[in-house]
């Protein structure tokens, strides 16, 4: 049974976890809510998206976030990087070779099945769709039009209980340069480039095309604070301990990890590296990692300040 209250709270959940993309979330929620209430055609996916924009701005993160919210459980996000399937041989690895070889796509869908062998539903994510082999785009047309996917071993999959997300960096460079332009102007430029590079019949079958904007510094400050808090929370659960951090840690992370070109990804890697190195120092001494993370300015790193080793 559909939980109306759960769906009503989805937008707030996405806004709390994805920063700097409020317009994208507004547009996505319209499709997600209709799909969640099964208002889409039963012969097509629950809804489909083309997420376009620079790297590291939240396209994949938003997909993960709404999938985990709407489809709790394992293996509900089926993800493929299209840059890995650009020629015939790679396509056979993905779809099978027609000689009873299932292929990677079939195996991924098998993980989604319930105890009765039925597909549970979720999200199909195809990253960097513009890099895919043309034959794969023909298969994608079948998914978007009929809600069906035929593998080369003859297996017919009903994917009408899935959302479909295509991501692309088409127009990313142009969008990055249009800092002072309106949302409408950026969208017009990017969508014109999309029409030039992707098949018209593919673009025409997508429910919603959404442009993700570059992340300004102020937004990355918010994201860094969110990522720091999440990583600390994860480590506290893992080690059953209590680690915290002070304001100077956030400032240090921004100095070390901010990159206007690549968005939030460098921040995530920077946080994992800096905190991980600080914890390793304590673990190598046989200590439980607990205390306050502080900046060791002389060494250019973070240090875990414990009661026995105060600042």
């Amino acid at each position: 049974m559909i939980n109306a209250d759960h769906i009503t709270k989805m937008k707030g959940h996405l806004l709390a976890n994805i920063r700097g993309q409020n317009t994208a979330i507004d547009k996505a929620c319209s499709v997600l809510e209709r799909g969640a209430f099964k208002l889409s055609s039963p012969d097509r996916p629950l809804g489909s998206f083309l997420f376009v924009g620079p790297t590291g701005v939240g396209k994949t993160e938003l997909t993960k976030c709404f999938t985990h919210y709407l489809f709790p459980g394992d293996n509900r996000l089926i993800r493929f990087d299209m840059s890995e399937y650009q020629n015939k041989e790679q396509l056979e690895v993905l779809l099978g070779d027609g000689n009873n070889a299932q292929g990677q796509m079939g195996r991924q869908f098998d993980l989604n099945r319930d105890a009765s062998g039925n597909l549970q539903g979720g999200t199909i994510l195809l990253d960097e769709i513009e890099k895919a082999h043309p034959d794969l785009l023909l298969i994608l047309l079948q998914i978007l039009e009929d809600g069906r996917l035929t593998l080369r071993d003859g297996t017919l999959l009903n994917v009408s209980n899935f959302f479909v997300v295509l991501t692309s960096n088409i127009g990313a460079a142009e969008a990055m340069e249009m800092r002072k332009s309106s949302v409408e102007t950026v969208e017009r430029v990017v969508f014109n480039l999309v029409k030039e590079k992707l098949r018209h019949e593919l673009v025409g079958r997508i429910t919603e095309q959404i442009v993700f904007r570059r992340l300004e510094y102020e937004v990355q400050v918010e994201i860094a604070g969110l990522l720091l808090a999440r990583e600390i929370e994860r480590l506290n659960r893992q080690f059953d301990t209590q680690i915290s951090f002070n304001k100077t840690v956030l400032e240090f992370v921004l100095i070390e990890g901010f990159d206007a070109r690549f968005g939030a990804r460098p921040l995530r890697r920077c946080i994992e590296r800096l905190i991980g190195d600080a914890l390793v120092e304590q673990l190598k001494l046989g200590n439980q990692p607990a205390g306050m993370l502080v900046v060791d300015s002389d060494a250019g790193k973070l240090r875990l300040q414990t009661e026995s080793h105060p600042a």
Side-chain angles (χ1 to χ4, degrees):
M1 180 145 182
I2 297 171
N3 186 326
D5 184 58
H6 187 66
I7 295 174
T8 300
K9 293 177 179 178
M10 175 175 59
K11 183 176 178 180
H13 175 78
L14 297 179
L15 289 170
N17 287 278
I18 308 296
R19 303 301 171 90
Q21 301 296 352
N22 292 12
T23 301
I25 290 172
D26 282 343
K27 292 182 177 181
C29 279
S30 175
V31 177
L32 294 170
E33 289 167 357
R34 296 198 305 271
F37 282 115
K38 307 286 185 173
L39 297 180
S40 53
S41 168
D43 298 325
R44 291 178 181 164
L46 297 173
S48 56
F49 301 95
L50 175 62
F51 288 167
V52 189
T55 187
V57 295
K59 302 188 295 295
T60 300
E61 197 65 24
L62 176 58
T63 305
K64 291 179 179 178
C65 195
F66 79 68
T67 301
H68 294 155
Y69 188 83
L70 291 174
F71 304 99
D74 297 330
N75 304 309
R76 307 304 290 272
L77 177 64
I78 299 176
R79 180 181 180 181
F80 300 98
D81 184 346
M82 294 296 96
S83 65
E84 298 178 4
Y85 307 106
Q86 300 186 53
N87 60 46
K88 288 279 189 181
E89 292 74 19
Q90 293 168 328
L91 202 60
E92 288 184 353
V93 172
L94 179 66
L95 300 172
D97 59 9
N99 296 315
N100 297 319
Q102 190 178 36
Q104 291 177 347
M105 185 167 281
R107 290 191 290 272
Q108 287 293 316
F109 276 100
D110 279 349
L111 295 173
N112 182 268
R113 297 183 187 277
D114 60 20
S116 301
N118 300 313
L119 291 175
Q120 300 179 81
T123 303
I124 303 168
L125 171 60
L126 305 178
D127 278 322
E128 297 190 282
I129 190 62
E130 72 276 10
K131 297 181 179 179
H133 189 280
D135 286 358
L136 187 59
L137 298 183
L138 293 174
I139 293 167
L140 184 54
L141 288 175
Q142 182 192 20
I143 295 175
L144 296 175
E145 183 63 27
D146 303 321
R148 300 288 188 274
L149 171 62
T150 304
L151 302 177
R152 288 185 173 173
D153 66 353
T155 302
L156 180 64
L157 302 175
N158 182 342
V159 294
S160 60
N161 202 32
F162 287 81
F163 288 99
V164 178
V165 178
L166 317 178
T167 74
S168 174
N169 292 327
I170 294 174
E174 289 78 3
M176 288 288 284
E177 297 299 324
M178 301 174 69
R179 296 183 58 180
K180 298 183 179 179
S181 300
S182 67
V183 172
E184 293 75 17
T185 300
V186 174
E187 288 182 346
R188 184 168 60 252
V189 170
V190 172
F191 289 149
N192 283 339
L193 291 169
V194 166
K195 290 175 183 176
E196 291 177 9
K197 296 186 179 182
L198 293 181
R199 298 174 63 133
H200 290 202
E201 57 268 42
L202 174 64
V203 175
R205 285 172 170 81
I206 294 170
T207 311
E208 188 69 73
Q209 303 172 53
I210 300 177
V211 175
F212 284 63
R213 299 297 300 269
R214 60 175 286 161
L215 299 178
E216 301 297 343
Y217 180 78
E218 294 76 13
V219 175
Q220 293 217 38
V221 172
E222 292 183 37
I223 292 173
L226 190 64
L227 293 175
L228 264 172
R230 285 179 182 169
E231 183 68 1
I232 294 296
E233 182 182 1
R234 182 186 71 82
L235 291 167
N236 281 336
R237 288 197 306 268
Q238 178 178 336
F239 291 99
D240 190 22
T241 188
Q242 187 59 47
I243 303 168
S244 58
F245 64 92
N246 61 23
K247 184 179 178 181
T248 61
V249 170
L250 177 58
E251 296 168 351
F252 185 68
V253 164
L254 287 163
I255 293 171
E256 293 289 310
F258 174 75
D259 191 320
R261 296 169 300 166
F262 297 110
R265 285 202 181 110
L267 281 174
R268 187 190 304 277
R269 292 194 299 269
C270 179
I271 288 168
E272 291 174 353
R273 173 177 58 83
L274 290 172
I275 296 179
D277 287 349
L279 266 62
V280 163
E281 288 190 2
Q282 291 300 313
L283 290 167
K284 287 195 298 185
L285 294 172
N287 299 331
Q288 176 78 345
M292 172 78 74
L293 278 169
V294 297
V295 177
D296 185 338
S297 300
D298 294 336
K301 63 181 183 180
L302 298 183
R303 179 167 58 81
L304 196 57
Q305 176 184 309
T306 64
E307 291 184 2
S308 57
H309 294 86

Short mmCIF file of all heavy atoms in Angstrom, two decimals, residues 35-74:
data_model
loop_
_atom_site.label_atom_id
_atom_site.label_comp_id
_atom_site.label_asym_id
_atom_site.label_seq_id
_atom_site.Cartn_x
_atom_site.Cartn_y
_atom_site.Cartn_z
N GLY A 35 4.91 9.01 -10.27
CA GLY A 35 5.32 7.62 -10.42
C GLY A 35 5.04 6.81 -9.17
O GLY A 35 4.59 5.66 -9.25
N ALA A 36 5.31 7.40 -8.00
CA ALA A 36 5.10 6.69 -6.74
C ALA A 36 3.63 6.33 -6.55
O ALA A 36 3.29 5.28 -5.99
CB ALA A 36 5.59 7.53 -5.57
N PHE A 37 2.73 7.18 -7.04
CA PHE A 37 1.29 6.91 -6.95
C PHE A 37 0.77 6.12 -8.16
O PHE A 37 -0.45 5.97 -8.31
CB PHE A 37 0.52 8.22 -6.81
CG PHE A 37 0.55 8.81 -5.43
CD1 PHE A 37 1.18 10.02 -5.20
CD2 PHE A 37 -0.04 8.15 -4.36
CE1 PHE A 37 1.21 10.58 -3.93
CE2 PHE A 37 -0.01 8.70 -3.09
CZ PHE A 37 0.61 9.91 -2.86
N LYS A 38 1.71 5.64 -9.00
CA LYS A 38 1.37 4.78 -10.14
C LYS A 38 0.44 5.49 -11.13
O LYS A 38 -0.47 4.88 -11.70
CB LYS A 38 0.70 3.48 -9.66
CG LYS A 38 1.49 2.72 -8.62
CD LYS A 38 2.68 2.02 -9.21
CE LYS A 38 3.38 1.16 -8.17
NZ LYS A 38 4.44 0.33 -8.69
N LEU A 39 0.68 6.78 -11.36
CA LEU A 39 -0.15 7.52 -12.31
C LEU A 39 0.39 7.45 -13.73
O LEU A 39 -0.28 7.86 -14.67
CB LEU A 39 -0.25 8.99 -11.88
CG LEU A 39 -0.95 9.24 -10.53
CD1 LEU A 39 -0.99 10.72 -10.21
CD2 LEU A 39 -2.36 8.66 -10.54
N SER A 40 1.60 6.91 -13.89
CA SER A 40 2.17 6.77 -15.23
C SER A 40 1.56 5.56 -15.92
O SER A 40 0.94 4.70 -15.29
CB SER A 40 3.69 6.60 -15.14
OG SER A 40 4.02 5.56 -14.25
N SER A 41 1.72 5.50 -17.24
CA SER A 41 1.19 4.37 -18.01
C SER A 41 1.80 3.07 -17.51
O SER A 41 3.02 3.00 -17.27
CB SER A 41 1.51 4.56 -19.50
OG SER A 41 1.25 3.36 -20.20
N PRO A 42 1.00 2.01 -17.34
CA PRO A 42 1.53 0.73 -16.86
C PRO A 42 2.47 0.06 -17.86
O PRO A 42 3.16 -0.89 -17.51
CB PRO A 42 0.27 -0.11 -16.63
CG PRO A 42 -0.77 0.50 -17.51
CD PRO A 42 -0.46 1.97 -17.53
N ASP A 43 2.50 0.56 -19.09
CA ASP A 43 3.36 -0.01 -20.13
C ASP A 43 4.68 0.75 -20.27
O ASP A 43 5.45 0.49 -21.20
CB ASP A 43 2.64 -0.03 -21.48
CG ASP A 43 1.40 -0.90 -21.45
OD1 ASP A 43 1.42 -1.93 -20.75
OD2 ASP A 43 0.41 -0.54 -22.11
N ARG A 44 4.94 1.67 -19.36
CA ARG A 44 6.17 2.46 -19.41
C ARG A 44 6.77 2.51 -18.01
O ARG A 44 6.11 2.18 -17.03
CB ARG A 44 5.86 3.87 -19.92
CG ARG A 44 5.47 3.91 -21.39
CD ARG A 44 5.14 5.31 -21.83
NE ARG A 44 4.74 5.33 -23.23
CZ ARG A 44 4.11 6.34 -23.81
NH1 ARG A 44 3.82 7.41 -23.11
NH2 ARG A 44 3.79 6.27 -25.10
N PRO A 45 8.02 2.97 -17.91
CA PRO A 45 8.61 3.13 -16.56
C PRO A 45 7.79 4.10 -15.72
O PRO A 45 6.97 4.87 -16.23
CB PRO A 45 10.01 3.69 -16.87
CG PRO A 45 10.29 3.26 -18.27
CD PRO A 45 8.97 3.28 -18.98
N LEU A 46 8.04 4.08 -14.42
CA LEU A 46 7.34 4.99 -13.50
C LEU A 46 7.60 6.45 -13.86
O LEU A 46 6.78 7.33 -13.60
CB LEU A 46 7.80 4.72 -12.07
CG LEU A 46 7.49 3.34 -11.50
CD1 LEU A 46 8.15 3.18 -10.13
CD2 LEU A 46 5.99 3.12 -11.40
N GLY A 47 8.72 6.71 -14.46
CA GLY A 47 9.12 8.05 -14.88
C GLY A 47 10.55 7.98 -15.36
O GLY A 47 11.29 7.07 -15.00
N SER A 48 10.94 8.93 -16.20
CA SER A 48 12.31 8.93 -16.72
C SER A 48 12.86 10.34 -16.71
O SER A 48 12.13 11.33 -16.85
CB SER A 48 12.35 8.35 -18.14
OG SER A 48 11.48 9.05 -19.00
N PHE A 49 14.17 10.41 -16.51
CA PHE A 49 14.86 11.70 -16.40
C PHE A 49 16.11 11.73 -17.26
O PHE A 49 16.78 10.71 -17.43
CB PHE A 49 15.31 11.94 -14.96
CG PHE A 49 14.22 11.95 -13.93
CD1 PHE A 49 13.92 10.81 -13.22
CD2 PHE A 49 13.51 13.10 -13.66
CE1 PHE A 49 12.94 10.80 -12.25
CE2 PHE A 49 12.51 13.12 -12.69
CZ PHE A 49 12.22 11.96 -11.99
N LEU A 50 16.43 12.91 -17.75
CA LEU A 50 17.76 13.20 -18.27
C LEU A 50 18.33 14.29 -17.37
O LEU A 50 17.84 15.42 -17.37
CB LEU A 50 17.71 13.69 -19.72
CG LEU A 50 19.05 14.14 -20.32
CD1 LEU A 50 20.04 12.99 -20.36
CD2 LEU A 50 18.86 14.73 -21.71
N PHE A 51 19.32 13.93 -16.55
CA PHE A 51 20.00 14.87 -15.67
C PHE A 51 21.26 15.35 -16.38
O PHE A 51 22.16 14.55 -16.66
CB PHE A 51 20.39 14.20 -14.35
CG PHE A 51 19.23 13.90 -13.43
CD1 PHE A 51 19.41 13.07 -12.33
CD2 PHE A 51 17.98 14.45 -13.63
CE1 PHE A 51 18.37 12.79 -11.46
CE2 PHE A 51 16.92 14.18 -12.77
CZ PHE A 51 17.12 13.34 -11.68
N VAL A 52 21.33 16.65 -16.64
CA VAL A 52 22.45 17.22 -17.39
C VAL A 52 23.14 18.27 -16.54
O VAL A 52 22.49 19.07 -15.87
CB VAL A 52 21.97 17.87 -18.70
CG1 VAL A 52 23.15 18.26 -19.58
CG2 VAL A 52 21.04 16.93 -19.46
N GLY A 53 24.48 18.29 -16.58
CA GLY A 53 25.21 19.32 -15.86
C GLY A 53 26.64 18.92 -15.58
O GLY A 53 27.06 17.81 -15.91
N PRO A 54 27.41 19.81 -14.98
CA PRO A 54 28.82 19.53 -14.68
C PRO A 54 28.97 18.36 -13.74
O PRO A 54 28.03 17.94 -13.06
CB PRO A 54 29.31 20.84 -14.02
CG PRO A 54 28.30 21.88 -14.38
CD PRO A 54 27.01 21.16 -14.54
N THR A 55 30.16 17.82 -13.68
CA THR A 55 30.44 16.71 -12.77
C THR A 55 30.41 17.19 -11.33
O THR A 55 30.75 18.34 -11.02
CB THR A 55 31.81 16.08 -13.10
OG1 THR A 55 31.99 14.91 -12.31
CG2 THR A 55 32.95 17.04 -12.83
N GLY A 56 30.00 16.31 -10.43
CA GLY A 56 30.07 16.59 -9.01
C GLY A 56 29.05 17.57 -8.47
O GLY A 56 29.24 18.15 -7.40
N VAL A 57 27.92 17.75 -9.19
CA VAL A 57 26.92 18.74 -8.73
C VAL A 57 25.67 18.09 -8.15
O VAL A 57 24.75 18.78 -7.73
CB VAL A 57 26.53 19.70 -9.87
CG1 VAL A 57 27.72 20.55 -10.29
CG2 VAL A 57 25.95 18.94 -11.06
N GLY A 58 25.60 16.75 -8.14
CA GLY A 58 24.49 16.09 -7.47
C GLY A 58 23.58 15.25 -8.34
O GLY A 58 22.55 14.76 -7.87
N LYS A 59 23.94 15.01 -9.60
CA LYS A 59 23.06 14.24 -10.49
C LYS A 59 22.91 12.80 -9.98
O LYS A 59 21.80 12.30 -9.81
CB LYS A 59 23.61 14.23 -11.93
CG LYS A 59 23.79 15.62 -12.53
CD LYS A 59 24.16 15.56 -14.00
CE LYS A 59 25.51 14.94 -14.29
NZ LYS A 59 26.63 15.73 -13.73
N THR A 60 24.03 12.15 -9.74
CA THR A 60 23.99 10.77 -9.24
C THR A 60 23.53 10.74 -7.79
O THR A 60 22.80 9.83 -7.38
CB THR A 60 25.37 10.11 -9.38
OG1 THR A 60 25.74 10.10 -10.77
CG2 THR A 60 25.35 8.69 -8.86
N GLU A 61 23.94 11.74 -7.01
CA GLU A 61 23.58 11.76 -5.59
C GLU A 61 22.07 11.89 -5.42
O GLU A 61 21.47 11.24 -4.54
CB GLU A 61 24.29 12.92 -4.90
CG GLU A 61 24.33 12.83 -3.39
CD GLU A 61 25.14 11.65 -2.87
OE1 GLU A 61 26.04 11.16 -3.59
OE2 GLU A 61 24.84 11.20 -1.74
N LEU A 62 21.42 12.72 -6.23
CA LEU A 62 19.97 12.85 -6.16
C LEU A 62 19.30 11.52 -6.53
O LEU A 62 18.33 11.11 -5.89
CB LEU A 62 19.49 13.96 -7.10
CG LEU A 62 17.97 14.13 -7.19
CD1 LEU A 62 17.36 14.40 -5.82
CD2 LEU A 62 17.62 15.25 -8.17
N THR A 63 19.84 10.85 -7.53
CA THR A 63 19.28 9.55 -7.94
C THR A 63 19.37 8.54 -6.80
O THR A 63 18.41 7.83 -6.50
CB THR A 63 20.03 9.01 -9.17
OG1 THR A 63 19.98 9.98 -10.22
CG2 THR A 63 19.42 7.72 -9.66
N LYS A 64 20.52 8.47 -6.17
CA LYS A 64 20.69 7.56 -5.03
C LYS A 64 19.72 7.91 -3.90
O LYS A 64 19.11 7.03 -3.28
CB LYS A 64 22.13 7.63 -4.50
CG LYS A 64 23.18 7.05 -5.41
CD LYS A 64 24.56 7.21 -4.76
CE LYS A 64 25.67 6.64 -5.61
NZ LYS A 64 27.01 6.84 -4.98
N CYS A 65 19.59 9.20 -3.64
CA CYS A 65 18.80 9.66 -2.50
C CYS A 65 17.32 9.32 -2.69
O CYS A 65 16.68 8.77 -1.78
CB CYS A 65 19.00 11.17 -2.33
SG CYS A 65 18.44 11.81 -0.74
N PHE A 66 16.75 9.61 -3.85
CA PHE A 66 15.32 9.31 -4.01
C PHE A 66 15.07 7.81 -4.14
O PHE A 66 14.02 7.32 -3.72
CB PHE A 66 14.69 10.11 -5.17
CG PHE A 66 14.92 9.61 -6.57
CD1 PHE A 66 14.38 8.42 -7.02
CD2 PHE A 66 15.64 10.38 -7.47
CE1 PHE A 66 14.55 7.99 -8.32
CE2 PHE A 66 15.83 9.96 -8.77
CZ PHE A 66 15.29 8.75 -9.20
N THR A 67 16.05 7.08 -4.69
CA THR A 67 15.88 5.62 -4.79
C THR A 67 15.84 4.99 -3.41
O THR A 67 14.97 4.17 -3.11
CB THR A 67 17.01 5.00 -5.63
OG1 THR A 67 17.00 5.58 -6.94
CG2 THR A 67 16.84 3.49 -5.75
N HIS A 68 16.78 5.36 -2.56
CA HIS A 68 16.82 4.79 -1.21
C HIS A 68 15.60 5.19 -0.40
O HIS A 68 15.15 4.44 0.47
CB HIS A 68 18.10 5.23 -0.50
CG HIS A 68 19.33 4.67 -1.12
ND1 HIS A 68 20.57 5.28 -1.00
CD2 HIS A 68 19.54 3.57 -1.88
CE1 HIS A 68 21.47 4.56 -1.66
NE2 HIS A 68 20.86 3.53 -2.20
N TYR A 69 15.06 6.37 -0.69
CA TYR A 69 13.88 6.84 0.04
C TYR A 69 12.62 6.09 -0.39
O TYR A 69 11.82 5.67 0.45
CB TYR A 69 13.69 8.34 -0.18
CG TYR A 69 12.61 8.95 0.69
CD1 TYR A 69 12.89 9.34 2.00
CD2 TYR A 69 11.32 9.13 0.21
CE1 TYR A 69 11.91 9.88 2.81
CE2 TYR A 69 10.32 9.68 1.01
CZ TYR A 69 10.62 10.06 2.31
OH TYR A 69 9.64 10.59 3.11
N LEU A 70 12.45 5.91 -1.69
CA LEU A 70 11.24 5.28 -2.21
C LEU A 70 11.31 3.75 -2.22
O LEU A 70 10.28 3.08 -2.16
CB LEU A 70 10.97 5.76 -3.64
CG LEU A 70 10.55 7.22 -3.81
CD1 LEU A 70 10.45 7.58 -5.29
CD2 LEU A 70 9.20 7.47 -3.13
N PHE A 71 12.54 3.22 -2.30
CA PHE A 71 12.71 1.77 -2.43
C PHE A 71 13.71 1.27 -1.39
O PHE A 71 14.85 0.95 -1.73
CB PHE A 71 13.19 1.39 -3.83
CG PHE A 71 12.32 1.89 -4.95
CD1 PHE A 71 12.66 3.04 -5.66
CD2 PHE A 71 11.17 1.20 -5.31
CE1 PHE A 71 11.88 3.50 -6.70
CE2 PHE A 71 10.38 1.65 -6.36
CZ PHE A 71 10.72 2.81 -7.05
N PRO A 72 13.34 1.21 -0.12
CA PRO A 72 14.29 0.74 0.88
C PRO A 72 14.70 -0.71 0.61
O PRO A 72 13.91 -1.50 0.10
CB PRO A 72 13.52 0.85 2.19
CG PRO A 72 12.15 1.29 1.86
CD PRO A 72 12.04 1.55 0.42
N GLY A 73 15.94 -1.01 0.92
CA GLY A 73 16.44 -2.36 0.71
C GLY A 73 17.63 -2.37 -0.23
O GLY A 73 18.02 -1.34 -0.78
N ASP A 74 18.19 -3.54 -0.41
CA ASP A 74 19.40 -3.69 -1.23
C ASP A 74 19.06 -3.87 -2.70
O ASP A 74 17.98 -4.34 -3.06
CB ASP A 74 20.20 -4.91 -0.75
CG ASP A 74 20.70 -4.76 0.68
OD1 ASP A 74 20.93 -3.61 1.09
OD2 ASP A 74 20.83 -5.79 1.38
#
